[in-house]
Amino acid sequence: MQKEIWPGGALLAPVPPALVSCGSLEAPAVLTVGWTGIVNTRPPRTYVSIRPERNSYPIIKERGEFVINLPTARLARAVDLCGCRSGRQVDKFALAHLTPSPASAVTAPLIEECPVSLECRVFQSIPLGSHEMFLADILAVQVDAALLDEAGRLCLEKADLLAYAHGGYFALGKQLGSFGYSVRKKKKRQPKR
Amino acid sequence: MQKEIWPGGALLAPVPPALVSCGSLEAPAVLTVGWTGIVNTRPPRTYVSIRPERNSYPIIKERGEFVINLPTARLARAVDLCGCRSGRQVDKFALAHLTPSPASAVTAPLIEECPVSLECRVFQSIPLGSHEMFLADILAVQVDAALLDEAGRLCLEKADLLAYAHGGYFALGKQLGSFGYSVRKKKKRQPKR
């Protein structure tokens, strides 16, 4: 494979194009964030990196709470809109047909139309240059009950989650395997009679 | 939408199931990491969170360098294997048919079979519980020259990148839009004659 060497750039993909909601149920705000990820499993911890110029920045900085909402493929247009427009100019909830709804562990609202929401409380923030990273505990998770099977297990593959890669919004495609499949022992076939 | 409220959990998806390489060309190591993301755009900065029990942890801790390699859908089995097996027991490069190759800005090797590699140098590490977060500058990026168009632009949608969501490996599916498409003015149609 012939490689080209470029200067450093933010070329990680795919990332979750998360709808991050903050503020309160009475004065909600929302923005799209590609710079998010899990940073720790036990306790569950995450981050979002946000430019100080964004309308939501002082809200999260002051209140120390936000919700990461995972969008579905059918919300692609709403996700793009919440990344391109500012809450200072327009009512993004109305424009994108999104509904703020009460969370359980934080005063920040979640977004009703998203099948998974992570309720987060900031424990540390680090200015890194263009963005400030807000590190947060995930205090509670809300999931769409329609995604649970009879045993109560979450079947997230049914959620049709949205992915973002280098400027493009993508649906998730074919499932190619599941964690551990490469090392699982194959069942022996029944011998032919 | 009926929601269930659960305790906090690491339920963010999709994430990039990155092959993280470290060590040296002579003594390379590789592990699969779902806990990665961009934390800053200018300068470009990223992180990986790694459990101290992993074979690669002391290598990255000591050398302060690693490479994030983005795998394609056809590398799904290799990615799973590098997440399930330890370099203490097996030669993961041989077992997964991966080739360590020289990077440009760090002594850690990159993985030849991956179309995008981010060469990273740690500037801070933060123990967060089960994992330690290594924050790093992205010093250089290597991309497969076959993914560039005639103008030299990267067409990452041709790379067939792999995504990971809640225990499943997925190909990226249909492209639904591109950044800004929800707010772009539509071109006026030519009137019919």
Side-chain angles (χ1 to χ4, degrees):
Chain A
M1 199 184 283
Q2 182 73 24
K3 300 280 175 87
E4 290 222 353
I5 302 173
W6 289 357
L11 199 52
L12 188 75
V15 295
L19 286 166
V20 172
S21 45
C22 59
S24 65
L25 206 53
E26 295 71 32
V30 58
L31 85 167
T32 300
V33 160
W35 301 165
T36 181
I38 298 293
V39 296
N40 197 65
T41 306
R42 286 177 308 278
R45 293 176 145 179
T46 185
Y47 82 99
V48 293
S49 280
I50 299 178
R51 282 189 289 115
E53 304 86 76
R54 298 299 296 259
N55 183 50
S56 294
Y57 170 85
I59 301 172
I60 293 175
K61 186 85 178 167
E62 187 181 312
R63 300 179 66 102
E65 288 182 353
F66 58 87
V67 179
I68 296 175
N69 305 272
L70 304 186
T72 59
R74 58 187 298 270
L75 291 174
R77 193 169 283 273
V79 165
D80 187 58
L81 204 135
C82 292
C84 294
R85 287 285 182 254
S86 171
R88 292 193 199 93
Q89 268 92 44
V90 296
D91 177 350
K92 291 203 265 189
F93 285 93
L95 211 58
H97 305 288
L98 298 174
T99 316
S101 172
S104 67
V106 295
T107 56
L110 56 80
I111 292 178
E112 179 59 26
E113 289 78 7
C114 291
V116 177
S117 297
L118 283 62
E119 306 184 13
C120 302
R121 182 169 296 144
V122 177
F123 65 85
Q124 189 175 352
S125 80
I126 308 177
L128 290 171
S130 57
H131 289 63
E132 183 161 334
M133 179 173 59
F134 292 97
L135 289 159
D137 285 300
I138 305 170
L139 303 179
V141 173
Q142 296 212 25
V143 296
D144 179 2
L147 296 176
L148 305 180
D149 68 11
E150 288 179 0
R153 280 181 301 246
L154 176 64
C155 304
L156 199 59
E157 70 281 2
K158 291 183 191 165
D160 200 16
L161 289 181
L162 188 65
Y164 185 73
H166 194 53
Y169 301 97
F170 294 84
L172 284 188
K174 193 185 166 191
Q175 182 162 357
L176 304 167
S178 59
F179 182 77
Y181 83 113
S182 69
V183 297
R184 240 172 256 138
K185 285 208 176 99
K186 282 171 190 156
K187 282 180 188 164
K188 279 183 186 161
R189 285 190 190 167
Q190 291 289 335
K192 280 180 185 170
R193 281 166 195 265
Chain B
M1 199 185 280
Q2 183 71 24
K3 301 279 175 88
E4 289 221 354
I5 302 173
W6 289 357
L11 199 52
L12 188 75
V15 295
L19 285 166
V20 172
S21 46
C22 59
S24 65
L25 206 53
E26 296 72 32
V30 58
L31 85 167
T32 300
V33 159
W35 300 166
T36 180
I38 298 293
V39 297
N40 197 65
T41 307
R42 286 178 309 279
R45 294 178 144 177
T46 185
Y47 82 99
V48 293
S49 280
I50 298 178
R51 282 187 290 116
E53 303 87 75
R54 298 300 295 259
N55 183 50
S56 294
Y57 170 86
I59 302 172
I60 294 175
K61 185 86 178 168
E62 188 181 312
R63 300 178 67 100
E65 288 181 352
F66 59 87
V67 179
I68 296 175
N69 305 274
L70 304 186
T72 59
R74 59 187 294 270
L75 292 174
R77 192 169 285 271
V79 166
D80 188 57
L81 204 135
C82 292
C84 294
R85 288 283 181 253
S86 171
R88 290 193 201 95
Q89 269 92 43
V90 296
D91 178 350
K92 291 202 263 188
F93 286 93
L95 210 59
H97 306 287
L98 298 173
T99 315
S101 174
S104 67
V106 295
T107 56
L110 55 79
I111 292 177
E112 179 59 27
E113 290 77 7
C114 291
V116 177
S117 297
L118 284 62
E119 304 184 13
C120 303
R121 182 168 297 144
V122 177
F123 64 86
Q124 189 176 350
S125 79
I126 308 177
L128 291 171
S130 57
H131 290 62
E132 183 160 336
M133 179 175 59
F134 293 96
L135 290 159
D137 285 301
I138 305 169
L139 302 179
V141 173
Q142 297 213 24
V143 297
D144 179 2
L147 296 176
L148 306 181
D149 67 12
E150 288 178 0
R153 279 180 301 243
L154 177 64
C155 304
L156 199 59
E157 69 282 2
K158 290 182 191 166
D160 199 17
L161 290 181
L162 188 65
Y164 186 73
H166 194 55
Y169 301 97
F170 294 84
L172 285 188
K174 192 184 168 192
Q175 183 163 358
L176 305 166
S178 59
F179 183 77
Y181 83 114
S182 69
V183 297
R184 239 172 257 138
K185 285 207 176 99
K186 283 171 191 157
K187 282 181 187 163
K188 277 182 189 162
R189 286 191 189 168
Q190 291 289 333
K192 280 182 185 168
R193 283 167 194 265

